[in-house]
Amino acid sequence: MMEFNRVQFLQNKTILVTGATGFLAKVFVEKILRVQPNVRKLYLVVRASDNEAAMKRLRAEVFEKDLFKVLRENIGEENLNTLLSEKVVPVAGDISTDNFGVKDSNLRERMQKEIDIVVNVAATTNFDERYDIGLGINTFGALNVLNFAKKCVKAQLLLHVSTAYVCGEKSGLLSERPFAMEEIRNDDGHQLDINFEMELMKRKLKELHEQDCSDEDITLSMKELGMERAKLYGWPNTYVFTKSMGEMLIGNHRESLPLVIIRPTMITSTHSEPFPGWIEGLRTVDSVIVAYGKGVLKCFLVDVNSVCDMIPVDMVANAMITATATHAGGSGVHMVYHVGSSHQNPVTFGEIHEISVRYFTKNPLRSRSGSPIAVSKVRLISNMALFSLYMTLRFRLPLQLLKLIDIIYPWRSGDKYGDKNRKINMVMRLVELYEPYVLFKGIFEDRNTKSLCASQKEDETKNSKGSMFDFDPKGINWGDYLTSVHIPGLITHVLKK
Ligand SMILES: NC(=O)c1ccc[n+]([C@@H]2O[C@H](COP(=O)([O-])OP(=O)(O)OC[C@H]3O[C@@H](n4cnc5c(N)ncnc54)[C@H](OP(=O)(O)O)[C@@H]3O)[C@@H](O)[C@H]2O)c1
């Protein structure tokens, strides 16, 4: 691997980033601006009505966040504003359309003349997303980004962020290599055909419109279709299925453009930069930790011996920058990096449970009235059938169920006094969606990432720069991280206590 100084690499580079209002991309953008203010330009593609509205979104949802407080303190408010106005170019765009739907041909041409690196972070991350939306963003959206990158005359690399869970529900050591589309077959031996999937979805959508179905019914049918097609080809949900197809499409159509695919596992709060514990939103394991702290989680479907593969968001951003600097301009590059912890520094769900019990026993959350919320050990059940039975017997009081839904599935909480069975069904559907992950038996091979990390460390030693782009999961002490960084981070930045 070529050796580079990552900071120098970023100097004078023009980088396009999609998904900049999201959790991971804003950490990536902050890091670049903090360590290399002499980056030439950052084109940030944001869904908005026009570029001005895109900038408004970026200010409110990215630059004014606590995440930027270190940079703000380092250089001062005025200099930060100057830096942003000189370096950041907001682009109102949508990756599900050709050329991001950018109509202004001057802007488009400028972008295609200037851009060196394209970083696709945008995605829909709903597990049971509508099939049309999942295909539009995660599959064909990724292809649109690749096609745009190919039109950028100086483009040296497309860095595409996927997810480690594109592996589906396989167990054992999961290889860190690109998909071979020919290998994907359903039980009848039919090879996956992505264009057919698009056609099928369009046909179904047309039928639903012709039948004058309500929006709600269309959404439901599109969600069901996504899950059905995912399961047919061996994936547990629409999110990972559409992300997998996105990887396959860009792998097949990349031609000579170097392509790096970063597959993070479950992304958690910052480990150290710009400061420890910054996080946004409640995802996967965090919803469970918070529900537990709030005293509403009494029982949970999980295998205590399964490894919960988490990786702090700043480490993912560091891996992205290092991989970019390493592979930009390389010929024939089609690299995959698993960015996670399960192979080198595993932590089990059982251990996380123990740590959470100790944390909330010592530092209880407070109820609205200010009294400490008592927590006790959760009943952990590692079998879906038993869990189902437990739920039916346990949740006789609708109020407890409602509270649970409000916390772990807030966008679904709906009317507070709805019918109890519907609520039980919703919880069960949620548990079914999470089942593949809480009973997961895979370990992500990370040989590529390990060697990237080693070359990164060697480079930093030579340049005596200290650890500026650390992404070595071995350096994480899970007990310390969860107790002193991650759970306090969730409480401060997500629960805003
Ligand atoms: N978070 C995790 O634990 C995790 C784990 C593994 C992999 N990943 C991957 O990491 C990436 C970032 O995840 P995240 O957690 O940061 O997600 P996130 O917070 O949900 O952000 C997603 C971003 O994508 C944007 N986006 C969605 N559809 C778009 C479209 N059609 N056009 C343009 N932008 C669009 C969203 O814009 P709006 O603000 O307009 O919605 C948002 O900025 C994703 O590719 C995801 O698959 C995440």
Side-chain angles (χ1 to χ4, degrees):
M1 274 185 200
M2 290 196 284
E3 277 178 16
F4 277 100
N5 180 318
R6 279 72 183 152
V7 177
Q8 265 168 22
F9 171 82
L10 293 168
Q11 185 165 355
N12 280 326
K13 289 288 183 300
T14 296
I15 305 173
L16 177 139
V17 185
T18 69
T21 51
F23 173 47
L24 170 60
K26 67 182 76 161
V27 173
F28 176 76
V29 166
E30 189 275 345
K31 175 87 184 207
I32 292 178
L33 288 169
R34 183 160 43 82
V35 301
Q36 186 43 282
N38 291 325
V39 62
R40 189 186 294 275
K41 229 177 248 179
L42 294 175
Y43 282 104
L44 304 183
V45 179
V46 176
R47 288 193 284 198
S49 51
D50 55 33
N51 295 343
E52 201 181 314
M55 192 57 185
K56 260 194 191 148
R57 277 199 70 189
L58 285 170
R59 286 205 178 278
E61 296 172 45
V62 184
F63 308 130
E64 282 164 18
K65 293 278 171 185
D66 273 356
L67 175 69
F68 276 72
K69 77 178 182 194
V70 170
L71 181 55
R72 184 170 276 108
E73 278 162 18
N74 286 353
I75 64 173
E77 183 76 35
E78 206 176 313
N79 287 338
L80 177 61
N81 286 337
T82 310
L83 181 70
L84 297 177
S85 61
E86 282 174 2
K87 305 295 174 178
V88 171
V89 185
V91 178
D94 186 324
I95 69 158
S96 61
T97 56
D98 200 23
N99 291 324
F100 310 127
V102 174
K103 296 276 179 305
D104 177 349
S105 57
N106 288 333
L107 172 63
R108 224 171 40 225
E109 278 163 24
R110 213 169 57 235
M111 288 164 80
Q112 289 170 349
K113 207 169 93 194
E114 295 174 1
I115 286 167
D116 300 294
I117 306 289
V118 174
V119 180
N120 184 33
V121 193
T124 167
T125 55
N126 291 342
F127 286 2
D128 61 345
E129 184 56 275
R130 285 175 56 141
Y131 200 33
D132 50 341
I133 297 179
L135 278 172
I137 299 173
N138 294 346
T139 308
F140 287 89
L143 183 63
N144 290 334
V145 177
L146 171 79
N147 286 337
F148 189 86
K150 283 204 234 165
K151 289 182 218 155
C152 296
V153 289
K154 292 199 297 170
Q156 298 176 28
L157 182 82
L158 167 62
L159 183 118
H160 172 76
V161 178
S162 184
T163 160
Y165 296 94
V166 289
C167 62
E169 293 176 86
K170 296 191 191 87
S171 57
L173 198 61
L174 306 163
S175 34
E176 200 182 18
R177 63 178 171 87
F179 278 110
M181 192 135 60
E182 318 71 61
E183 288 172 11
I184 315 295
R185 293 180 183 275
N186 67 16
D187 287 346
D188 297 334
H190 283 118
Q191 195 186 313
L192 174 66
D193 177 342
I194 300 176
N195 288 326
F196 174 77
E197 291 304 309
M198 190 64 161
E199 281 313 307
L200 181 86
M201 177 281 291
K202 282 185 181 163
R203 232 185 294 147
K204 177 77 184 173
L205 201 56
K206 190 163 168 257
E207 254 172 53
L208 293 165
H209 283 297
E210 280 167 1
Q211 289 161 7
D212 256 345
C213 292
S214 67
D215 289 349
E216 204 179 328
D217 284 343
I218 293 177
T219 296
L220 206 65
S221 297
M222 280 292 117
K223 284 185 172 220
E224 276 167 5
L225 181 65
M227 293 297 275
E228 191 187 295
R229 300 304 294 176
K231 287 183 176 157
L232 185 67
Y233 285 98
W235 276 270
N237 60 54
T238 312
Y239 166 55
V240 288
F241 180 45
T242 53
K243 288 289 281 188
S244 308
M245 290 192 284
E247 275 197 27
M248 293 176 210
L249 272 189
I250 59 175
N252 274 14
H253 290 88
R254 70 186 197 287
E255 295 173 9
S256 59
L257 185 72
L259 170 65
V260 168
I261 294 175
I262 296 282
R263 290 185 188 153
T265 54
M266 290 181 219
I267 307 181
T268 52
S269 60
T270 50
H271 181 264
S272 20
E273 281 194 42
F275 57 90
W278 186 79
I279 187 164
E280 188 175 71
L282 267 190
R283 292 149 222 267
T284 52
V285 69
D286 296 335
S287 341
V288 181
I289 294 177
V290 166
Y292 174 70
K294 290 199 169 189
V296 289
L297 191 72
K298 306 290 178 202
C299 167
F300 194 61
L301 173 76
V302 72
D303 179 349
V304 288
N305 298 315
S306 278
V307 171
C308 174
D309 195 323
M310 302 183 288
I311 188 78
V313 62
D314 47 341
M315 291 196 172
V316 181
N318 288 343
M320 288 164 67
I321 294 173
T322 304
T324 302
T326 304
H327 294 293
S331 76
V333 173
H334 186 189
M335 277 299 282
V336 171
Y337 289 103
H338 281 164
V339 183
S341 56
S342 58
H343 198 202
Q344 295 193 59
N345 186 8
V347 58
T348 63
F349 281 105
E351 287 166 322
I352 296 172
H353 177 232
E354 293 295 331
I355 292 168
S356 305
V357 171
R358 278 202 301 276
Y359 182 88
F360 287 110
T361 307
K362 209 167 150 206
N363 314 282
L365 292 177
R366 306 235 156 222
S367 65
R368 281 210 186 107
S369 64
S371 52
I373 299 173
V375 288
S376 54
K377 279 205 168 187
V378 175
R379 189 182 297 265
L380 302 173
I381 300 177
S382 64
N383 172 302
M384 188 64 168
L386 273 181
F387 182 80
S388 232
L389 181 68
Y390 177 89
M391 283 295 289
T392 322
L393 298 175
R394 173 76 175 81
F395 285 102
R396 270 169 296 198
L397 294 174
L399 202 60
Q400 270 172 304
L401 251 175
L402 287 168
K403 272 193 190 166
L404 183 68
I405 292 167
D406 282 350
I407 289 165
I408 59 182
Y409 219 15
W411 60 94
R412 288 284 176 84
S413 55
D415 62 319
K416 297 278 177 196
Y417 302 99
D419 134 67
K420 190 169 72 174
N421 284 336
R422 194 167 60 87
K423 305 290 182 192
I424 291 184
N425 288 341
M426 277 165 60
V427 172
M428 288 314 296
R429 185 162 165 76
L430 167 72
V431 170
E432 274 163 25
L433 285 177
Y434 279 97
E435 181 192 356
Y437 305 106
V438 289
L439 304 180
F440 197 68
K441 296 286 179 289
I443 296 291
F444 296 102
E445 183 204 19
D446 60 351
R447 199 188 308 210
N448 296 342
T449 308
K450 201 173 164 186
S451 98
L452 188 72
C453 191
S455 79
Q456 150 65 20
K457 281 187 176 169
E458 205 177 293
D459 195 17
E460 282 188 333
T461 315
K462 274 190 199 147
N463 291 293
S464 39
K465 281 260 187 253
S467 197
M468 199 186 250
F469 293 95
D470 178 34
F471 54 97
D472 184 352
K474 282 212 297 294
I476 306 170
N477 175 324
W478 289 113
D480 284 353
Y481 170 72
L482 288 168
T483 309
S484 312
V485 175
H486 185 61
I487 303 181
L490 282 173
I491 295 169
T492 309
H493 302 287
V494 180
L495 300 183
K496 314 254 183 231
K497 301 242 177 196

